[in-house]
Amino acid sequence: SAVISQKPSRDICQRGTSLTIQCQVDSQVTMMFWYRQQPGQSLTLIATANQGSEATYESGFVIDKFPISRPNLTFSTLTVSNMSPEDSSIYLCSVGARGQETQYFGPGTRLLVL
Amino acid sequence: QKEVEQDPGPLSVPEGAIVSLNCTYSNSAFQYFMWYRQYSRKGPELLMYTYSSGNKEDGRFTAQVDKSSKYISLFIRDSQPSDSATYLCAMGGGSGGSNYKLTFGKGTLLTVNP
């Protein structure tokens, strides 16, 4: 399985600021994904990031709020913009595996917005 | 009705017990079924993966899929305190042929007491 790291592992931010989360994979992968995990809720897919094309966002998530970069096959970033306390959550990146039928996850970034 | 239903627990069992974790789903198009284990403050770890009805065994873990009833289960034999974690069911292949989209249950928190 791929080894995935995320930075930062946690952060406390002020309302109205932005945070960029980095995801690094130890091998080249076609598809990378960004999820949000809120307490008591299911893992929710924010967007799919393919190298060389615009990210594909799920219903309820927009590029202005969650801009994503995918400069190469081993790296992606997710920015949480103009944060509010409702953005407090765990943000996870994952990569496709087994022909994209399943996914491996990074350790997550724990974000608290005050 | 949510696409995937999972009892959040919490579930507390003594060491050595057999644990049964379950999910039901409504989308008959799902083709791939997974169980993830998530320790506190860690990312989800892929535990079991299957794509057909029936049982799949891996050590102390058995994944069971019943497509006719839209029901999947994870059994843990001889449970250990190290099995204490949140268990997430996930399903894929149900979104218009897109294999990569996974739909998750909310997770069941399991505690195995020594």
Side-chain angles (χ1 to χ4, degrees):
Chain A
S1 63
V3 177
I4 305 168
S5 60
Q6 285 186 234
K7 289 182 181 179
S9 58
R10 63 180 65 190
D11 208 340
I12 301 173
C13 300
Q14 295 298 317
R15 181 195 300 260
T17 62
S18 297
L19 176 72
T20 295
I21 302 168
Q22 299 178 6
C23 180
Q24 179 76 53
V25 190
D26 69 341
S27 57
Q28 293 185 338
V29 294
T30 304
M31 304 185 79
M32 295 180 76
F33 308 90
W34 288 98
Y35 286 83
R36 183 172 70 185
Q37 187 176 32
Q38 295 180 309
Q41 301 299 315
S42 309
L43 271 169
T44 302
L45 181 63
I46 297 171
T48 302
N50 291 328
Q51 194 266 337
S53 63
E54 293 288 325
T56 303
Y57 288 83
E58 297 300 305
S59 175
F61 298 97
V62 295
I63 188 171
D64 289 346
K65 176 67 176 176
F66 297 101
I68 287 171
S69 77
R70 182 79 200 274
N72 57 53
L73 292 174
T74 63
F75 187 79
S76 179
T77 67
L78 170 77
T79 298
V80 187
S81 303
N82 188 24
M83 288 184 286
S84 67
E86 291 71 35
D87 294 318
S88 298
S89 185
I90 300 172
Y91 291 87
L92 294 149
C93 70
S94 71
V95 301
R98 297 178 188 265
Q100 316 306 325
E101 295 160 1
T102 189
Q103 296 170 23
Y104 295 116
F105 284 84
T109 295
R110 283 152 185 81
L111 171 62
L112 176 63
V113 184
L114 302 178
Chain B
Q1 180 186 10
K2 287 190 176 295
E3 277 196 295
V4 178
E5 299 274 7
Q6 182 176 9
D7 186 342
L11 182 62
S12 181
V13 302
E15 182 175 354
I18 296 175
V19 176
S20 172
L21 304 167
N22 311 294
C23 287
T24 59
Y25 62 96
S26 58
N27 186 349
S28 58
F30 285 135
Q31 300 174 47
Y32 311 105
F33 305 90
M34 287 140 274
W35 287 95
Y36 285 85
R37 177 174 62 194
Q38 186 172 22
Y39 290 115
S40 180
R41 301 187 178 279
K42 302 287 186 183
E45 169 194 8
L46 182 63
L47 197 58
M48 298 285 284
Y49 164 83
T50 184
Y51 57 88
S52 60
S53 283
N55 294 350
K56 181 177 181 179
E57 195 172 312
D58 184 1
R60 296 185 294 111
F61 299 90
T62 299
Q64 187 176 81
V65 174
D66 183 345
K67 288 188 178 180
S68 62
S69 300
K70 300 191 185 67
Y71 189 89
I72 70 170
S73 299
L74 177 70
F75 298 97
I76 307 174
R77 291 184 299 280
D78 187 25
S79 56
Q80 302 295 309
S82 58
D83 295 327
S84 298
T86 297
Y87 290 80
L88 308 169
C89 63
M91 305 175 191
S95 298
S98 297
N99 290 337
Y100 62 83
K101 281 194 161 183
L102 299 184
T103 303
F104 286 83
K106 290 186 177 182
T108 300
L109 177 61
L110 171 68
T111 301
V112 181
N113 301 300

